Amino acid sequence: MGASGVHVRMLAAPVNPSDINMIQGSYAVLPDLPAVGGNEGVGLVVQIGSNVTSLKPGDLVIPADAGLGTWQTEAVFGEEKLLKMPPDIPLMCAATLSVNPCTAFRMLSDFKTLKPGDSVIQNAANSGVGQAVIQIAAAKGLKTINVVRDRPNLQELVDRLKSLGADHVLTEEALRKPEVKDLFQEIPKPLLALNGVGGKSATEMLRLLQHKGTMVTYGGMSKQPVTVPVSALIFKDVKLCGFWMTQWKRDNAQNKEELNGMITDLCTLIRKGQLTAPACQEVPLVDYQLALKASMAPYVSAKQILLM
């Protein structure tokens, strides 16, 4: 195991779009083969090396960075690759904490100074990031305009997102209609747009941004480029940025206080009931093929969680 190794028994690990992209070879970070999938999850410390100081047997841990390979029953990781979790955080919240809620937290904190009453617009609102954005924004007193694709059980989805704290939920089609302007009699135009889709959806969100608003792109589920109206750049002076949680963690690798502070803040929201795990479908690891297939099906609102 080595003096700085930590023997971990994995308990639960989700299947995220980035995990699928990594397997397909289309992600920005690709592990050396042979490799184990899974970038997120929660495990239990079984044993520690003699030089390990921050962890002890019985601690719950999550990955400090991507590429750990969480889809396995047991593994030995370096101490620096793990973050200790408080013992009172529910298992599904811990298993799904290090990617989507962290992405949502940083995007709501790092690009615009937002105050209670300000509004944020996002597409992919039913994704893991989207659900976390709704809840973290609500806790900060921000208003959210949430865009989703039309689907057979639309009302069910609208009700679920509103139960998380969404102020407005619209379909992509409704976003393109002139009546969308009526929204801004109730709430201010958004200062921040969060784009996980690309294509027409991103263009439509840009049109609704306030003067000097910012759109942050963190995903491209439509596989279409972001097309920007020239008028938005010239006359509205909008700013376009990208965000990748993995890069943020690497940029802050020497600044563990920043990462630990974010995890502490998110755990506080979980304890207060202001941040819950996304809707989950628990699947035994032996049935991983079913979980992978389900995670790639259209209109999936439940995150597949592999149970070890």
Side-chain angles (χ1 to χ4, degrees):
M1 184 167 77
S4 51
V6 180
H7 175 190
V8 176
R9 179 162 61 82
M10 292 305 299
L11 301 173
V15 179
N16 287 314
S18 55
D19 300 323
I20 302 292
N21 295 153
M22 210 177 251
I23 293 166
Q24 290 167 334
S26 59
Y27 202 58
V29 174
L30 298 175
D32 296 327
L33 298 174
V36 176
N39 291 292
E40 190 179 37
V42 62
L44 188 72
V45 175
V46 178
Q47 202 179 350
I48 59 170
S50 55
N51 291 348
V52 174
T53 56
S54 63
L55 297 167
K56 64 183 187 305
D59 283 345
L60 284 179
V61 287
I62 62 172
D65 195 3
L68 202 63
T70 54
W71 298 349
Q72 53 188 326
T73 52
E74 304 202 31
V76 174
F77 302 118
E79 179 183 12
E80 76 288 352
K81 302 276 189 194
L82 301 168
L83 287 174
K84 183 178 172 178
M85 283 298 288
D88 60 331
I89 298 301
L91 197 66
M92 289 302 127
C93 289
T96 56
L97 188 68
S98 66
V99 176
N100 297 323
C102 289
T103 298
F105 184 95
R106 294 263 58 98
M107 292 195 300
L108 288 169
S109 306
D110 295 354
F111 294 91
K112 276 284 176 199
T113 304
L114 300 169
K115 59 188 189 304
D118 286 342
S119 72
V120 175
I121 187 168
Q122 64 165 342
N123 53 26
N126 62 312
S127 66
V129 171
Q131 291 177 56
V133 164
I134 288 167
Q135 295 174 87
I136 296 167
K140 287 173 174 273
L142 305 172
K143 304 291 182 190
T144 55
I145 303 161
N146 301 279
V147 183
V148 297
R149 288 181 297 172
D150 200 3
R151 63 197 64 213
N153 60 338
L154 179 65
Q155 193 54 49
E156 192 182 308
L157 175 61
V158 170
D159 293 344
R160 189 157 65 78
L161 296 183
K162 287 198 168 178
S163 76
L164 294 177
D167 294 286
H168 301 278
V169 183
L170 322 173
T171 61
E172 299 277 3
E173 292 73 25
L175 189 65
R176 295 188 191 116
K177 291 187 174 164
E179 296 79 45
V180 79
K181 300 277 194 310
D182 298 345
L183 267 183
F184 305 119
Q185 290 168 6
E186 294 173 48
I187 58 171
K189 280 193 160 188
L191 276 168
L192 181 66
L194 305 177
N195 169 42
V197 176
K200 287 180 184 170
S201 176
T203 309
E204 294 300 334
M205 289 202 304
L206 269 174
R207 290 185 203 285
L208 300 179
L209 271 182
Q210 262 191 55
H211 186 72
K212 290 190 182 294
T214 296
M215 184 169 82
V216 183
T217 293
Y218 67 92
M221 289 190 224
S222 70
K223 297 191 165 50
Q224 298 297 312
V226 173
T227 308
V228 186
V230 172
S231 58
L233 289 173
I234 298 174
F235 303 122
K236 286 173 75 174
D237 194 16
V238 298
K239 188 184 282 185
L240 304 182
C241 306
F243 181 76
W244 185 32
M245 194 66 225
T246 300
Q247 190 62 51
W248 185 92
K249 284 180 176 172
R250 289 175 185 182
D251 290 347
N252 288 275
Q254 303 310 313
N255 182 7
K256 275 284 160 68
E257 290 78 27
E258 190 81 28
L259 179 56
N260 288 328
M262 172 171 62
I263 296 296
T264 299
D265 287 351
L266 290 170
C267 287
T268 300
L269 291 178
I270 291 167
R271 286 192 194 98
K272 287 180 175 175
Q274 293 177 310
L275 179 62
T276 59
C280 293
Q281 173 89 41
E282 298 175 16
V283 181
L285 181 61
V286 66
D287 295 326
Y288 70 91
Q289 287 174 313
L290 296 175
L292 293 181
K293 193 174 174 187
S295 71
M296 291 189 282
Y299 305 123
V300 174
S301 289
K303 188 162 285 294
Q304 303 295 304
I305 308 279
L306 298 170
L307 294 182
M308 315 310 172

